[in-house]
Every structure is written in structure tokens, then in C-alpha cells.
Amino acid sequence: MAVCTRHRFIHIYQAILMLALENYYRVPTVDTLAELYTSVNQMDLSCMPQLSRHETTILRFSDDQNMFEERFTQLEGGRRLADTLSRDAERLEALHNPALAELAASASEESAMTSRRGTAPDSGRARGSTRNKDRRFFDTEIVYSGVKLPIRVPMTVYPEEISDFSLIQLLTTFAGALQAPSSKTTHPHLESSGQYTHPIILLMNGLLTQKRVIFLGHGKPAGEVANYVLAAVALGSGGGGVLRGFANRAFPYTNLTNLDTLLSFSGYIAGVTNPAFEEHPEWWDLLCNINTGKITVSPALAVPSGSHAKSQADSLRRSLDSVSLSRNRSFSSREGKPDKWNNLDTEFIQDLMLAIERHYGEVAIRAKVENYVRRFMSLVPLYEFERSGSTLLGDPAHIAASDKPGIDGYSISPGDKESRNHDIAFYQSRIEGFIGTQAYHNAQSDYQSMQSSSFIRGIDIAHMVYCLRNSTNLDVNEVEAIYKRLDEQVVTDDQVTELLASLPQSQGGLQPLAYGFYHPSPSIRLYTVRLFEKIEGNQAGARYVRSTNFFHQCAFSNLRYAFSCS
């Protein structure tokens, strides 16, 4: 028994499906299925606000569970008003109908008796029930066979996130399985660090370059295998929020009966339990064995012609660079700081596994994956622009300005040209494998649509935030130019919301902007105060300001008073 739905949060239907299946075993008729269909479609979502992409990002990484409380209470208040008007209309109709008037009088008397017994403070409970709710979820219910099933609909789901999977489970399953070095030729799209490529990076490379990936769980429940597939979709798409197209080629569970359909898809991500798949490497490019935690590259996978040919010395260097990481089964830096002398992969894996060891939550882990994939995506247009002089994944003017002194630049790419060129050279094979995939073409269309729908035009918000957060060599004129442009471009409520989406509370919130309060330049302090005033006028921004450091709030208050008096 299954439910077909357009919602991505399909796990909320698990309880009602279990009840319906039990009822169907007792009464196997069409009426039982019709009752299930009616109950599911009568789930009330009228008071669930439709959040934009930027609002979803803000709520997802917010420390305040009451973020966008006003949006919820407005809809709930409208619903209560509509219910009141409906009851009033029924009472007016009853006054003109003697039979209905007698029935209404009887009901009114019964209600009064109940109220005197002190058992009818329902309206008070309704008013109080809206307080202290976790607005990252929308609470509703489904009534099936007289049973009210409470439902919690997640409000922070990204486009490529389906159901309630665990990315942490995927990472811990395959992170510790070290592969012995072999003499076979390494595949340039997959083994970016040679024979010592970390298994998670191997899987990430396979997903980004649209290779055929199978998760084999012999003897495992189909639901458990499906969760690994859905977690892999989120891994390749950057926590579900950077790239699209992975969910379209996912087969959470399949078998030999559907083999022809499976093989007709390019770069499928499938879950199976039949060990016969392992014996046919021509069916897959990467096989992830859930039981052993081992990831195997198919010997039948051919090296693409015309790809970037790595020299033997380059391959050996990358292998030696990664050997220290691969031999450490915890993959974390005991000093608490990632080893940045190697490459982005080493830094990413160390940071990821250290966070898991410290019991970070699922959202925090997905945020790290999102930042990693977003960082990689910032290198793709730079590579394209250097090779062909054009790209559809970024603004050529900003990319060209990345090599010049100043604040203009592209996305979150490092300002140091030497470091950027090193990263591009390291990921050249992965980038070449990524170009031409479905995710690549979706990223092009997404960038163009984002440019047309963006509220902030003419500046790269992500790049400016990156400069304020990470750059230490900005002079006074560059810092002033950043705050001035932000003050000029961020004016409307929608523009403030877009700015806040680039400043998630889980990564410090307004901290990068608040440094302007203490700058020696009076003009920078003025721009900072004006920017914070606009942010404070936004519903979500007001909560951002209240959540900042106490000293930042005092500096904001004092400077605002000083500038208003001058």
C-alpha cells in the first residue's frame, strides 16, 4: 500500500498507512481505500504559510524556533475569524427557522452547563496553543476511522530532500572503510586524490559526475536501503539546496524485475538488496555495500576520452597528500582545527567527521555539505571563464574582477588567485566530469532564473559576506565600499530577507556586519547603523538583531542615538 503525493515530506503518512493496511487486511474492499484517500486529502494545510526560498533558508538555520511567528498567527487568526463568521451565519439562519432555533437553544443550554462545570476553556487553550510552538514545523492532524493522528509537517525542506533520511548514517557507514591501494589505473572523475581518495569523496565525485551508483544491502529492510539512496541524493545536491536533478534519477528501492528500466537511466542512484548486482559490474559504476561499508569502482568503467590527463607525478603527489588522512580512521583533527595545507577535501572530511564525533545535529551536518558543494560550484564558472571566456553560471564581470584588487568578485571563491588556481587545478577532472550532466544544465537555468527574480541587483551578496567574514587584508576604502553598497542596495523588506538568507544564525548571523560598529571610520559606523535599522524593521531581521551579542546591541543603540543627535 502506498500514497502518491506531490509533497516531499512523505514520512508524515507512515502512521496512517499502517492503520489503513491493518484495516484493509480486515476489510479488503474499495471502501477501505476510499476512506484512506478521503482522509489524506482532507488534511488541513490552509494555515501553513508558503515560505520563499530565502525565508526557508532563514528558518532552517535559525536559533529562534519562533521565527516567522507573525506569518503563522496571521493565517491562524484569519481562520478563527472565518470560523466565527460561519457560526454567526448559522445562528442567524436558526433564528428564522423554528426547528433550528429550538435545536440551537438546546445546544446553548448544554454549552452553558458545561462552562459552569469548568470544562470548556477551549477558546483559551486555542489562544494559548499558538505560543511556544516550534515554527520549523506545522502542526495539523489527519482523521482516519475516527482516530485523530497528529501530523508535523517540516517547513524547512529543500527541493532535493525527500522523506526523513539520515545523512549522518550514510557518512558514518562509509567513512571508516579504508581501501587498500591497488595498481589499477585511477579514474580521473572519481579518485581525485589518487588511490587514497576518501570513500565519502569518492561517492561525492560519483554523484557530481553523474555516475551510476548502487547501494547494496543484502538482508536489509527495503526502507533502510531506501534511506541511504535518499541521503545520497542530499549529499550530491549539497544538503538538498544547491543542485537539482538528483531526485529525478533516484530509485530508492528496485530489483531485477525493473533492471531494464534502471539501466535506461543515465547516472541512476538506486537501492537494492539482491547480491546478484555485485556480480555484474557492467550494471553500475559505483557500488556501495551497506553491510561492509565498502565503496567499489566498477572495473568496467572506462576512462573518458579527452579528459584531463594527470601526470604520474601529480597523481603520486595527491596520493601522498591524502595518505595521512586516509590512515586516520576517525578522520578528525584532535586539535580541533582542520588541516588546511592539503586541499578542500581534507578540510571538508576532517570538519565533517569532527562535527559527527561531537554529536552535531542533522541540520548542522547538512549545512557543512551545502557549504562544500557551494564552494565547488563557485569554482566551475571560474574554470569555464578561464577556458572559454564565458559562462552561464556566473556574472562574467564579477568573475573578471576577481583577479583585481577591490571588493568586486564572484561568489565565495577565495580572493587569493594562487589559492583559487590551486583549487581549480585540483578539481579540474571533477569539474570536467560535472560539465554536461543534468545537474550542470539545471544549475545554469537556476542561475538565470535567480538573476531575474533576485531582489538585490548589481552586487554579489555572497562574495561581500565572505569578504567581511574571512578577509583580513581589506583596507579602509574597501570596507567602506562594502558597507556603502549594502546600504544602497538593501532597502526593501524583500531585499533585507535576501540579505539575511546569506547570514544564517547558525554561522554567526549578523556578526560579520556588526564589526562595522567598532571601525575607526565614522562613515563605516554610520553605514552599519543605517543597515541595522533596515534589518530591525524586518520581522525576521528584528529577531536577528535581538539575538546578537549584548555588546553589539549596546553599540547599535549608542551609535544610533549619537548619530540622531548630530
Side-chain angles (χ1 to χ4, degrees):
M1 183 175 291
V3 169
C4 182
T5 176
R6 58 185 174 86
H7 299 304
R8 296 184 299 274
F9 36 83
I10 58 178
H11 59 281
I12 68 173
Y13 299 108
Q14 182 177 2
I16 190 173
L17 281 177
M18 294 177 63
L19 286 178
L21 189 60
E22 183 179 348
N23 288 348
Y24 188 78
Y25 283 145
R26 291 200 304 263
V27 186
T29 63
V30 177
D31 293 337
T32 304
L33 299 178
E35 184 182 9
L36 170 64
Y37 175 83
T38 303
S39 298
V40 169
N41 284 279
Q42 286 181 345
M43 181 174 62
D44 186 12
L45 299 178
S46 59
C47 293
M48 185 175 75
Q50 300 298 317
L51 301 180
S52 66
R53 173 59 187 270
H54 295 135
E55 291 171 335
T56 300
T57 302
I58 292 172
L59 182 59
R60 182 185 179 95
F61 301 112
S62 174
D63 299 328
D64 186 357
Q65 67 177 14
N66 294 320
M67 187 69 72
F68 299 114
E69 173 78 15
E70 299 81 5
R71 298 280 298 277
F72 287 87
T73 55
Q74 181 180 5
L75 292 174
E76 292 166 356
R79 177 63 179 272
R80 287 194 296 268
L81 177 60
D83 292 342
T84 301
L85 293 176
S86 177
R87 287 194 300 268
D88 291 345
E90 293 175 357
R91 291 172 183 172
L92 288 175
E93 183 181 356
L95 293 177
H96 296 84
N97 189 322
L100 292 177
E102 182 179 352
L103 182 62
S106 175
S108 177
E109 182 179 353
E110 182 180 353
S111 177
M113 293 177 61
T114 305
S115 179
R116 286 194 295 270
R117 290 196 299 266
T119 58
D122 294 339
S123 60
R125 283 201 301 267
R127 289 190 298 267
S129 63
T130 61
R131 300 175 184 174
N132 300 322
K133 282 188 175 181
D134 188 351
R135 293 306 187 181
R136 288 167 291 192
F137 299 91
F138 174 73
D139 295 319
T140 184
E141 63 183 19
I142 295 178
V143 181
Y144 177 71
S145 295
V147 179
K148 291 185 178 180
L149 302 173
I151 302 295
R152 301 199 80 193
V153 179
M155 296 291 297
T156 59
V157 179
Y158 274 164
E160 293 287 299
E161 289 180 312
I162 303 174
S163 188
D164 189 23
F165 58 86
S166 173
L167 187 58
I168 295 177
Q169 183 183 31
L170 171 69
L171 297 174
T172 53
T173 299
F174 295 102
L178 303 183
Q179 303 183 32
S182 62
S183 58
K184 71 178 184 64
T185 303
T186 59
H187 195 284
H189 291 175
L190 299 177
E191 294 155 305
S192 53
S193 294
Q195 298 174 348
Y196 293 97
T197 302
H198 190 275
I200 298 300
I201 298 300
L202 184 65
L203 176 58
M204 177 71 80
N205 290 339
L207 294 169
L208 290 174
T209 57
Q210 200 168 317
K211 299 297 186 289
R212 299 174 299 174
V213 180
I214 278 186
F215 286 88
L216 172 62
H218 180 52
K220 300 285 186 180
E224 182 178 343
V225 176
N227 284 334
Y228 280 94
V229 175
L230 298 177
V233 169
L235 178 68
S237 61
V242 182
L243 298 172
R244 286 190 303 112
F246 294 87
N248 295 338
R249 50 191 176 94
F251 293 78
Y253 176 75
T254 189
N255 49 42
L256 291 175
T257 307
N258 303 321
L259 181 61
D260 292 337
T261 304
L262 180 68
L263 296 180
S264 66
F265 275 77
S266 173
Y268 61 77
I269 310 168
V272 299
T273 58
N274 194 329
F277 280 88
E278 191 171 12
E279 301 172 1
H280 293 272
E282 69 275 8
W283 292 350
W284 44 267
D285 300 324
L286 280 180
L287 187 137
C288 308
N289 194 315
I290 299 174
N291 300 77
T292 63
K294 181 181 178 182
I295 299 179
T296 305
V297 179
S298 172
L301 179 61
V303 176
S305 59
S307 64
H308 174 60
K310 297 181 178 64
S311 65
Q312 183 178 4
D314 185 47
S315 178
L316 177 61
R317 177 185 61 81
R318 296 187 184 190
S319 298
L320 293 177
D321 282 349
S322 302
V323 65
S324 60
L325 172 65
S326 298
R327 294 189 185 280
N328 183 358
R329 290 186 176 269
S330 68
F331 303 106
S332 61
S333 174
R334 295 301 177 185
E335 291 76 21
K337 294 183 179 180
D339 180 13
K340 297 185 178 182
W341 64 267
N342 190 356
N343 52 61
L344 292 178
D345 288 352
T346 304
E347 179 183 347
F348 170 63
I349 293 299
Q350 287 181 338
D351 185 38
L352 202 61
M353 294 305 160
L354 182 62
I356 293 177
E357 288 181 1
R358 293 178 175 178
H359 305 288
Y360 279 44
E362 185 75 20
V363 174
I365 299 301
R366 297 185 193 185
K368 293 181 181 298
V369 174
E370 178 181 352
N371 292 336
Y372 174 79
V373 176
R374 201 175 294 278
R375 181 69 176 270
F376 166 73
M377 286 303 299
S378 73
L379 300 175
V380 177
L382 294 173
Y383 173 81
E384 286 187 313
F385 187 78
E386 290 181 359
R387 291 290 298 269
S388 62
S390 63
T391 180
L392 295 178
L393 288 173
D395 187 349
H398 287 160
I399 295 177
S402 299
D403 297 333
K404 302 175 183 178
I407 63 169
D408 289 326
Y410 172 71
S411 191
I412 54 176
S413 60
D416 183 7
K417 184 178 180 180
E418 183 178 353
S419 300
R420 185 170 67 250
N421 290 341
H422 173 270
D423 293 337
I424 292 176
F426 187 86
Y427 289 120
Q428 182 169 348
S429 294
R430 181 201 280 181
I431 293 174
E432 291 177 347
F434 173 74
I435 294 175
T437 63
Q438 186 60 48
Y440 169 78
H441 293 298
N442 289 339
Q444 288 182 326
S445 61
D446 288 345
Y447 177 78
Q448 301 303 322
S449 62
M450 182 190 68
Q451 289 297 102
S452 61
S453 62
S454 178
F455 297 103
I456 301 178
R457 307 288 180 87
I459 60 175
D460 191 332
I461 289 293
H463 177 74
M464 290 191 172
V465 171
Y466 179 87
C467 289
L468 291 176
R469 180 180 283 128
N470 300 292
S471 297
T472 58
N473 56 349
L474 294 176
D475 59 36
V476 176
N477 294 330
E478 291 174 338
V479 175
E480 182 176 351
I482 290 179
Y483 282 98
K484 182 179 180 180
R485 291 193 185 184
L486 290 175
D487 179 52
E488 293 173 347
Q489 296 290 333
V490 181
V491 178
T492 66
D493 203 54
D494 291 329
Q495 290 172 338
V496 172
T497 301
E498 186 172 339
L499 172 64
L500 295 178
S502 300
L503 296 163
Q505 287 186 315
S506 61
Q507 299 180 23
L510 299 177
Q511 185 83 5
L513 300 180
Y515 292 142
F517 289 137
Y518 314 103
H519 201 278
S521 172
S523 58
I524 293 178
R525 297 198 300 270
L526 176 61
Y527 289 134
T528 307
V529 169
R530 292 171 57 178
L531 187 59
F532 265 69
E533 287 178 339
K534 298 172 187 176
I535 293 174
E536 193 177 36
N538 180 279
Q539 289 182 351
R543 296 181 181 273
Y544 262 72
V545 173
R546 290 197 297 268
S547 67
T548 55
N549 186 288
F550 173 75
F551 296 100
H552 295 335
Q553 296 185 45
C554 291
F556 175 40
S557 178
N558 294 336
L559 287 174
R560 177 163 56 178
Y561 176 77
F563 284 121
S564 64
C565 294
S566 60

